[in-house]
């Protein structure tokens, strides 16, 4: 898979002619995605090891195979995908719109006009708190509309939420 | 009994008095509850053979029910202040619901049979579910019909002056029921629901009366004769009977739902107008959609109905949830031209500007994608079937039979591609897709509140993009499937200028 190039280059007609959003997420998000992948490793491997010790390695040799397989798959995911995500995930907040690009198998560009923003939330999971990261969710009146920027620096997220809230409160109407 | 506007501890705003539900609920509430309790009471009385305690228990139940509904009535209060609708209810656990008036999207009046006998109506107020606070609305069960009518107008019209005006707003009729539409009724999947409903009712009735069908002579005879006929004939017979029941069920259902159907536009004193659908035989329903909440229309054609030349138009309005299949339906199943005519009348646009617009086709790559998506899973099924037949000789017919899957899958894919289309007209974004249910959506351009572009790995290779117009109405987003990447951005940019980066 080719990397999403942040700098404008020769336009590929198969790609939507949209310029990528200006900012990358926090570099610590890379660590966060890796940690998240590695946390799933013991969750997947422990039951297999337990079964292996209960049954005895002579009767269930195939379990060794599946354990090695799990480690390989999760390991290569942790090695490749977070870096890919970090290159792809970008965001930008202009005077008109909140604009994000995310996803690695399915690319997703989301655009929400500032004038239609209803609520702005920040959220921090346990791993994110450890790494001082936060997610910013911008919601519009639509059930399908939330625009989420994951893996922002927590101070930056708080600051963005504050300014966005101020802007939206200044907008009259219920933004539908 | 106190009068409706007795001072019942309304502390904050003295200006707006609290109101009670209609006192006739004191009759309907217990009546409804008693009907539900009737089997228990009957059993108590019948099995008791004049046992006095049982009579007392039955009477006790009755008194409790009556007291309960009196309590409900006593403790339920509502009021409409200049900016909110408030409903307080409950005795042990008090509930307070409050809906800001500027969030009210639709006002629904429903009158079940018993309510109609007493001239009452349930008022269902639904508000736009804001992301933060999920109060979707409240319901007043029930108020008198004139009061319901007054509330409906007051809540949808935002000018309080219009409320007290005794003159009814001018009403313009957009459509009314034609019984010839009945021929399209069996072509919907709700006819299946019709069978279930009929069978359920019949079974309940038989069961309630304590009759075992096997004890009825003719049925027993039929059963015996049935068991001696060959299987294929039996299956055919059952299918035929089911079909007849389905047709009858769907006709009855259509009549119950759409009897007295009228679609009107009412223009209020302040110039705001409301689309109103009135319908129903036993249960009268009235759905009102404020026109300023209307964001577009959808003409949907399920495969069977499409084959029969029918369609149905729905309103896309903020506040109408998409969960209920009937929600926002502006009409029953009707001939296709009628559906487009109603869509045009509702949106005040020419049909060729909305759902009948000449649509732009999608690139050939989209056909390839539809084909792979339909054929690859069927091919997997065929391979598995052949593999099974190869392993288990008794199942050797499985593989060749599975081949029959492929032509319908290919046809489906081709039809799905053929139906793809989009167009940007003067005021609307029109998109069409689907085969089993073909949907043509005309969305007002100013109703688009955002965009999502998606491109999977496969789409990237084919240069396709799925564009979703995000809106506050209906499903919340309407997709234009598999457009050329450049066209998608151009379409979004033309719909909402200056938004795209």
């Amino acid at each position: 898979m080719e990397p999403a190039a942040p700098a404008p280059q020769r336009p590929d007609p198969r790609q939507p002619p949209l310029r990528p959003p200006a900012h990358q997420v926090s570099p610590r998000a890379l660590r966060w995605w890796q940690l998240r992948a590695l946390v799933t490793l013991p969750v997947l491997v422990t039951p297999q090891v337990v079964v292996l010790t209960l049954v005895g390695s002579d009767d269930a040799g195939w379990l060794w195979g599946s354990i090695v397989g799990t480690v390989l798959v999760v390991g290569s995911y942790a090695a490749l995908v977070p870096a890919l995500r970090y290159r792809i995930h970008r965001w930008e907040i202009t005077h008109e719109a909140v604009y994000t690009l995310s996803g690695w198998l399915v690319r997703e560009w989301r655009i929400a006009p500032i004038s239609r923003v209803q609520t702005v939330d920040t959220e921090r999971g346990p791993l994110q708190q450890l790494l001082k990261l936060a997610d910013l969710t911008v919601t519009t009146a639509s059930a399908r509309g939330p625009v989420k920027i994951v893996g922002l620096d927590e101070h930056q997220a708080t600051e963005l939420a504050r300014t966005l809230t101020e802007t939206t409160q200044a907008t009259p109407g219920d933004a539908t | 009994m106190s009068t409706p506007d007795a001072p019942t501890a309304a502390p904050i705003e003295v200006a707006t008095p609290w109101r009670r539900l209609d006192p006739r609920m004191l009759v309907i509430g217990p009546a409804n509850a008693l009907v539900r309790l009737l089997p228990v009471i009957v059993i108590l009385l019948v099995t008791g053979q004049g046992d006095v305690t049982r009579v007392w228990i039955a009477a006790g139940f009755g008194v409790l029910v009556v007291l309960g509904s009196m309590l409900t009535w006593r403790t339920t209060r509502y009021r409409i202040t200049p900016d909110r609708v408030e409903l307080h209810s409950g005795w042990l656990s008090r509930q307070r619901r409050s809906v800001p008036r500027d969030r009210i999207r639709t006002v629904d009046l429903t009158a079940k049979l018993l309510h109609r006998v007493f001239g009452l109506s349930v008022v269902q107020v639904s508000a736009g579910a804001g992301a933060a606070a999920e109060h979707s609305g409240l319901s007043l069960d029930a108020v008198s019909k004139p009061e319901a009518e007054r509330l409906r107008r007051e809540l949808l019209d935002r000018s309080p002056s219009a409320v007290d005006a005794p003159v009814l707003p001018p009403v313009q009729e957009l459509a009314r029921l034609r019984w010839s539409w009945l021929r399209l009724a069996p072509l919907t999947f709700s006819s299946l629901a019709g069978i279930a409903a009929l069978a359920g009712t019949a079974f309940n009735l038989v069961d309630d009366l304590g009759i075992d069908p096997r004890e009825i002579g003719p049925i027993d005879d039929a059963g015996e004769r049935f068991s001696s006929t060959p299987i294929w004939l039996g299956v055919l017979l059952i299918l035929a009977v089911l079909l007849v029941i389905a047709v009858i069920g769907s006709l009855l259902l259509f009549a119950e739902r759409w009897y007295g159907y009228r679609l009107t536009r009412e223009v209020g004193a302040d110039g705001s107008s409301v689309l109103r659908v009135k319908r129903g035989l036993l249960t009268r329903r009235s759905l009102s959609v404020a026109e300023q909440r209307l964001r577009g229309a959808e003409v949907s054609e399920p495969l069977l109905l499409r084959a029969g030349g029918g369609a149905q138009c729905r309103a896309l309005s903020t506040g109408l949830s998409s969960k209920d299949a009937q929600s926002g339906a502006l009409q029953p199943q009707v001939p296709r031209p009628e559906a487009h005519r109603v869509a045009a009348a509702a949106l005040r646009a020419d049909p060729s500007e909305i759902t009948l617009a000449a649509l732009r086709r999608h690139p050939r790559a989209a056909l390839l994608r539809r084909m792979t998506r339909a054929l690859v899973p069927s091919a997997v099924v065929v391979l598995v079937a052949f593999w099974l037949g190869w392993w288990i000789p008794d199942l050797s017919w499985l593989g060749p039979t599975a081949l029959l899957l492929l032509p319908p899958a290919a046809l489906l894919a081709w039809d799905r591609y053929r139906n793809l289309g989009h167009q940007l007209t003067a005021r609307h974004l029109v998109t069409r897709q689907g085969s089993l249910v073909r949907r043509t959506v005309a969305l007002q351009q100013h109703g688009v509140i955002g965009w999502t572009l998606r491109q999977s790995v496969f789409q990237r290779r084919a240069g396709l993009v799925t564009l979703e117009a995000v809106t506050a109405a209906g499903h919340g987003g309407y997709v234009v499937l598999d457009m050329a990447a450049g066209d998608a951005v151009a379409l979004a940019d033309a719909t909402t200028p200056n938004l795209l980066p």
Side-chain angles (χ1 to χ4, degrees):
Chain A
M1 210 173 299
E2 68 216 52
Q9 48 166 234
R10 187 174 51 83
D12 177 356
R14 297 176 306 172
Q15 285 233 43
L18 282 171
R19 109 186 128 68
H23 312 292
Q24 279 189 299
V25 296
S26 162
R28 291 194 301 278
L30 186 64
R31 199 49 26 93
W32 170 54
W33 283 317
Q34 282 167 347
L35 272 178
R36 212 172 49 167
L38 291 178
V39 162
T40 58
L41 197 59
V43 175
L44 292 175
V45 170
T46 313
Q48 300 186 41
V49 172
V50 167
V51 172
L52 191 69
T53 46
L54 287 181
V55 176
S57 52
D58 295 339
D59 295 329
W62 53 273
L63 262 176
W64 280 110
S66 84
I67 289 175
V68 172
T70 312
V71 171
L72 278 181
V73 167
V74 175
S76 47
Y77 178 92
L80 297 175
V81 175
L84 197 62
R85 269 187 201 272
Y86 180 65
R87 271 211 299 267
I88 295 170
H89 281 236
R90 302 180 77 86
W91 62 275
E92 184 174 348
I93 295 174
T94 66
H95 289 296
E96 280 82 36
V98 181
Y99 175 34
T100 64
L101 170 56
S102 63
W104 60 287
L105 277 178
V106 180
R107 299 274 162 91
E108 193 170 276
W109 293 257
R110 278 180 174 270
I111 300 142
I114 295 277
S115 59
R116 306 300 181 100
V117 171
Q118 282 193 333
T119 60
V120 184
D121 307 310
T122 57
E123 193 187 336
R124 272 177 293 172
L127 273 181
Q128 287 180 312
Q129 287 181 28
L130 202 69
L131 292 165
K132 301 199 185 320
L133 292 171
D135 295 345
L136 183 77
T137 308
V138 177
T139 322
T140 61
S142 167
R144 304 283 288 273
V147 178
K148 200 167 179 181
I149 312 175
V150 296
L152 286 172
D153 177 80
E154 60 178 2
H155 296 298
Q156 194 177 22
T158 318
E159 181 61 23
L160 280 175
R162 199 180 55 75
T163 48
L164 267 176
T165 310
E166 274 170 16
T167 326
T168 48
Q169 272 167 355
T171 318
D174 62 356
T176 57
Chain B
M1 293 307 121
S2 46
T3 54
D5 37 18
T8 44
I12 312 153
E13 281 176 64
V14 192
T16 325
W18 288 92
R19 281 181 276 184
R20 286 252 165 87
L21 298 176
D22 196 278
R24 277 170 284 190
M25 280 311 287
L26 287 171
V27 182
I28 296 184
N32 271 332
L34 282 179
V35 165
R36 247 172 277 144
L37 270 181
L38 202 61
V40 179
I41 293 175
V42 166
I43 288 171
L44 271 177
L45 292 181
V46 170
T47 57
Q49 305 286 348
D51 184 354
V52 184
T53 42
R54 289 179 183 248
V55 175
W56 278 114
I57 292 175
F61 265 129
V63 169
L64 271 184
V65 163
V66 172
L67 278 182
S69 48
M70 275 178 76
L71 208 62
T72 311
W73 183 80
R74 282 282 301 183
T75 51
T76 306
R77 297 172 299 159
Y78 70 95
R79 67 174 178 181
I80 295 161
T81 68
D83 39 45
R84 325 196 124 250
V85 182
E86 293 173 298
L87 175 70
H88 289 188
S89 64
W91 174 50
L92 284 175
S93 67
R94 315 220 59 183
Q95 288 184 351
R96 285 152 187 259
R97 309 211 69 177
S98 159
V99 175
R101 283 181 67 179
D102 61 355
R103 291 285 163 98
I104 294 175
R105 307 286 194 263
T106 59
V107 177
D108 236 327
L109 306 186
T110 316
K112 291 202 179 127
L113 200 55
L114 203 55
H115 285 85
R116 283 180 68 192
V117 170
F118 284 86
L120 300 184
S121 238
V122 179
V123 180
Q124 172 79 43
V125 177
S126 65
E134 280 284 318
H135 23 232
S136 45
L138 51 83
S139 116
L140 303 177
D141 182 7
V143 295
S144 72
K145 235 178 210 164
E147 170 76 356
E149 195 56 39
R150 200 186 64 80
L151 283 174
R152 185 184 76 80
R153 236 173 299 133
E154 180 175 346
L155 292 177
L156 287 175
D157 235 356
R158 295 256 213 96
S159 59
S161 62
V163 177
D164 300 320
V167 285
L168 284 169
V171 175
Q172 178 196 357
E173 185 178 275
L174 302 180
R176 66 161 56 233
L177 185 70
R178 261 182 248 138
W179 284 106
S180 62
W181 296 343
L182 209 54
R183 73 193 150 84
L184 295 169
L187 299 178
T188 56
F189 286 106
S190 61
S191 55
L192 290 179
I195 309 180
L198 266 186
T201 316
F203 183 78
N204 262 338
L205 205 66
V206 170
D207 200 44
D208 280 356
L209 296 174
I211 301 168
D212 187 338
R214 277 165 299 182
E215 287 168 14
I216 304 173
I219 293 184
D220 200 30
D221 279 358
E224 247 160 48
R225 225 171 294 148
F226 195 71
S227 51
S228 58
T229 50
I231 288 179
W232 63 269
L233 199 66
V235 169
L236 225 64
L237 205 68
I238 289 180
L239 282 181
V241 167
L242 279 182
L243 191 69
V244 169
I245 292 178
V247 168
I248 294 172
S250 66
L251 294 180
L252 289 179
L253 212 63
F254 183 95
E256 204 288 311
R257 277 193 186 146
W258 294 100
Y259 177 83
Y261 157 74
R262 260 183 103 205
L263 173 67
T264 52
R265 174 182 281 128
E266 296 171 9
V267 182
D270 59 347
S272 71
S273 59
V274 169
L275 283 176
R276 185 171 192 198
V277 183
K278 282 172 94 170
R279 62 190 177 91
L281 179 63
L282 298 178
T283 300
R284 282 300 279 170
R285 289 171 203 282
S286 148
L287 169 74
S288 305
V289 181
E291 212 163 321
Q292 73 199 51
R293 301 289 183 198
L294 201 63
R295 293 292 179 272
E298 175 190 275
V299 172
S300 71
E301 300 158 276
L303 194 59
L304 259 180
L305 191 62
R306 176 148 62 105
Q312 188 178 28
C313 174
R314 287 201 186 129
L316 304 183
S317 161
T318 59
L320 282 176
S321 79
S322 53
K323 287 164 202 146
D324 180 12
Q326 285 297 315
S327 92
L330 289 181
Q331 56 183 181
Q333 297 79 40
V334 297
R336 196 175 295 131
E338 171 70 8
H340 290 294
R341 189 189 68 78
V342 161
L347 294 184
R348 298 175 191 262
D350 193 74
S352 66
E353 285 283 296
I354 50 168
T355 48
L356 276 185
L359 299 183
R360 297 177 54 186
R361 306 292 297 268
H362 289 206
R364 294 303 277 187
L367 173 62
L368 199 68
R369 189 149 183 271
R370 289 299 112 204
M371 281 291 176
T372 28
R373 286 183 65 124
L375 287 178
V376 168
S378 342
V380 169
V381 171
V382 169
L383 283 182
V384 169
F386 268 108
W387 181 77
L388 274 178
W390 186 65
W391 272 104
I392 307 162
D394 282 350
L395 294 178
S396 56
W397 51 270
L398 210 58
T401 317
L403 279 178
L404 290 178
L405 262 179
L406 294 178
L411 272 179
L412 192 73
W414 183 74
D415 192 46
R416 273 176 66 81
Y417 169 70
R418 207 180 53 120
N419 286 336
L420 284 183
H422 68 274
Q423 185 60 275
L424 188 68
T425 64
R427 284 186 295 128
H428 296 88
L429 171 66
V430 186
T431 159
R432 188 177 66 191
Q433 63 158 309
S435 175
L436 293 179
V437 181
R438 182 167 80 172
R439 293 198 165 90
T440 314
V441 172
L443 193 62
Q444 288 170 359
Q445 289 177 22
H446 72 80
V448 177
I449 59 168
W451 298 98
T452 304
L453 279 88
R454 275 191 208 95
Q455 196 177 40
S456 70
V457 178
F458 300 112
Q459 281 178 311
R460 258 153 71 78
R461 230 176 262 157
L464 297 175
V465 157
T466 295
L467 177 73
E468 182 176 21
V470 175
T471 172
H475 292 279
Y478 290 90
V479 295
V480 190
L481 208 60
D482 287 345
M483 301 178 71
D487 289 355
V489 174
L491 179 67
D493 197 37
T495 310
T496 53
N498 302 327
L499 179 61
L500 262 61

